[in-house]
Amino acid sequence: MFVETLNSGKLVSISPSDQQNLFALVEEIHYSQSNKEQNEEAISQIKMQKKLIPPELKDHILEFVNSDYSYLLLKNLPQTKCDELLLLLTSLVGDPFAHADEGSLIMANKPIKTEEAQHTTAYFTWNKFDLHTELPYIQTPPDFISLYCVNNVKGGYTYLSNVERALHLLSQDQMIELKKPQYTIPIPPHFGADKKQEFKRPLLSIVKGRPSLRIRQDGLVSETEAGMEAAQALQSALDMVREAIELEPGSLIIINNHLSAHGRAPFRPTFNHEDRELHRVYLIEDVNKFGKNYDPIHRRIRGF
Ligand SMILES: O=C(O)CCC(=O)C(=O)O
Ligand SMILES: [Fe+2]
């Protein structure tokens, strides 16, 4: 196993024997899902295997969860049983969930040629995705998101920006603005929500002594000019500290959604089996944080 610090993240490259061990843990499990529900039996089988994850790898994942690292990049994972492996490795991080209005528990980030794709930025588009945090328009965003690379195209970079490093570039006054509940982050059209469900919130808060960011620039509105200026300064600061990773098939990245923003470069879609394809899951450390908005049977969160 090869371990290295990468800018604000950490890289763990799995040895061939651990790759085989991991594959053996999920080989007999068959996960399946639809838009609204998933095979819970497979999920509990996967959860039972988590104690058998090679100990050194397990320790790296657990250590990451409580660290200041923006992301953990795992390389050289098996390239079959991707969804089972994604659920297995992230089971050490939190519980997987989806938004009831968005779709399946594991989403395929893959270009879909539709009219809508020309006018929006989402998991099914191939335009540039500005640095953002995940689900910033819901009350309790995921603690982590994880992406498993099934396939990539040349230049299909994933971007990451460490929040702490970006905040160092801002003034005290700008930080004060970011902490005011004066920002509305629009809900993207594919959720089918209306404006009444949009709330005013701060972009920055401090949770247990660490920053927690929510940001999505497209359509962001502030009550005040000073608020808007601070949000723009924040976006430029995130751009300045940006890191780029070209995920390879068999790589999995776990991103801390409080301490890091992420995005992606524009890429050329192929609309066939050679296309860029990342499988994405949202994770929460404690589902009780969702309160009554959470349906544990379906692992779905409702509302905004
Ligand atoms: O495609 C990527 O690399 C990331 C896309 C993204 O930000 C998302 O699906 O939330
Ligand atoms: Fe995202």
Side-chain angles (χ1 to χ4, degrees):
M1 191 170 288
F2 171 80
V3 183
E4 186 179 52
T5 296
L6 282 184
N7 289 301
S8 69
K10 194 178 189 181
L11 162 71
V12 174
S13 195
I14 316 287
S15 66
S17 65
D18 279 344
Q19 188 190 91
Q20 280 180 1
N21 293 339
L22 279 172
F23 180 68
L25 293 182
V26 290
E27 194 176 2
E28 304 293 326
I29 304 177
H30 305 288
Y31 173 76
S32 62
Q33 60 177 20
S34 69
N35 250 353
K36 303 233 177 289
E37 56 193 5
Q38 50 284 327
N39 179 347
E40 283 298 322
E41 195 193 325
I43 294 182
S44 36
Q45 287 171 337
I46 289 169
K47 272 197 176 162
M48 298 215 300
Q49 301 296 65
K50 84 175 162 190
K51 53 181 183 301
L52 301 174
I53 294 173
E56 208 187 331
L57 173 59
K58 192 169 161 183
D59 288 347
H60 281 299
I61 299 174
L62 293 174
E63 190 189 292
F64 160 72
V65 172
N66 297 307
S67 74
D68 289 328
Y69 285 114
S70 302
Y71 58 90
L72 176 67
L73 175 62
L74 305 179
K75 279 195 184 182
N76 289 331
L77 295 165
Q79 291 181 34
T80 48
K81 291 279 166 190
C82 302
D83 290 350
E84 288 83 357
L85 283 164
L86 176 61
L87 291 170
L88 174 69
L89 294 166
T90 59
S91 67
L92 295 171
V93 174
D95 278 313
F97 73 96
H99 194 285
D101 302 333
E102 196 178 29
S104 49
L105 190 70
I106 296 179
M107 296 291 281
N109 279 16
K110 197 177 176 189
I112 305 175
K113 207 178 199 167
T114 57
E115 181 57 25
E116 199 187 351
Q118 318 290 326
H119 310 290
T120 187
T121 306
Y123 63 89
F124 54 84
T125 70
W126 50 94
N127 51 350
K128 179 171 185 252
F129 210 146
D130 284 330
L131 289 159
H132 63 283
T133 60
E134 211 63 18
L135 298 185
Y137 30 79
I138 73 170
Q139 191 184 348
T140 309
D143 292 320
F144 296 89
I145 75 162
S146 186
L147 299 162
Y148 189 111
C149 179
V150 175
N151 201 21
N152 208 347
V153 295
K154 204 170 174 334
Y157 292 102
T158 297
Y159 292 138
L160 297 139
S161 287
N162 178 269
V163 172
E164 196 99 52
R165 291 184 187 188
L167 294 178
H168 278 303
L169 303 174
L170 300 187
S171 69
Q172 278 308 319
D173 287 348
Q174 287 168 333
M175 302 260 273
I176 291 168
E177 290 301 323
L178 296 177
K179 289 178 185 165
K180 294 183 184 167
Q182 59 180 341
Y183 297 97
T184 309
I185 305 176
I187 303 165
H190 67 275
F191 281 86
D194 61 36
K195 293 249 166 270
K196 285 201 286 297
Q197 292 170 282
E198 293 173 354
F199 289 92
K200 288 200 180 93
R201 297 191 171 107
L203 297 185
L204 178 66
S205 47
I206 305 295
V207 181
K208 294 187 193 145
R210 288 196 181 135
S212 171
L213 189 72
R214 59 167 86 226
I215 183 80
R216 178 152 172 166
Q217 199 68 29
D218 48 333
L220 178 78
V221 182
S222 168
E223 265 174 358
T224 68
E225 238 172 78
M228 207 57 217
E229 186 271 333
Q232 279 155 0
L234 169 67
Q235 198 74 21
S236 315
L238 290 168
D239 280 330
M240 303 230 323
V241 302
R242 190 180 83 183
E243 302 165 37
I245 292 182
E246 204 175 23
L247 293 171
E248 298 156 6
S251 287
L252 176 153
I253 190 166
I254 308 174
I255 302 170
N256 185 315
N257 196 42
H258 301 282
L259 301 180
S260 176
H262 67 277
R264 75 151 186 249
F267 63 94
R268 206 184 283 274
T270 60
F271 303 116
N272 59 21
H273 66 281
E274 287 172 6
D275 224 338
R276 185 173 188 269
E277 180 171 346
L278 307 181
H279 286 199
R280 179 188 77 186
V281 73
Y282 299 148
L283 301 153
I284 193 88
E285 284 191 287
D286 178 4
V287 292
N288 293 316
K289 285 204 269 189
F290 288 137
K292 57 180 184 347
N293 289 348
Y294 185 62
D295 165 8
I297 308 270
H298 298 100
R299 300 178 188 273
R300 292 297 191 278
I301 173 98
R302 287 194 178 279
F304 295 92

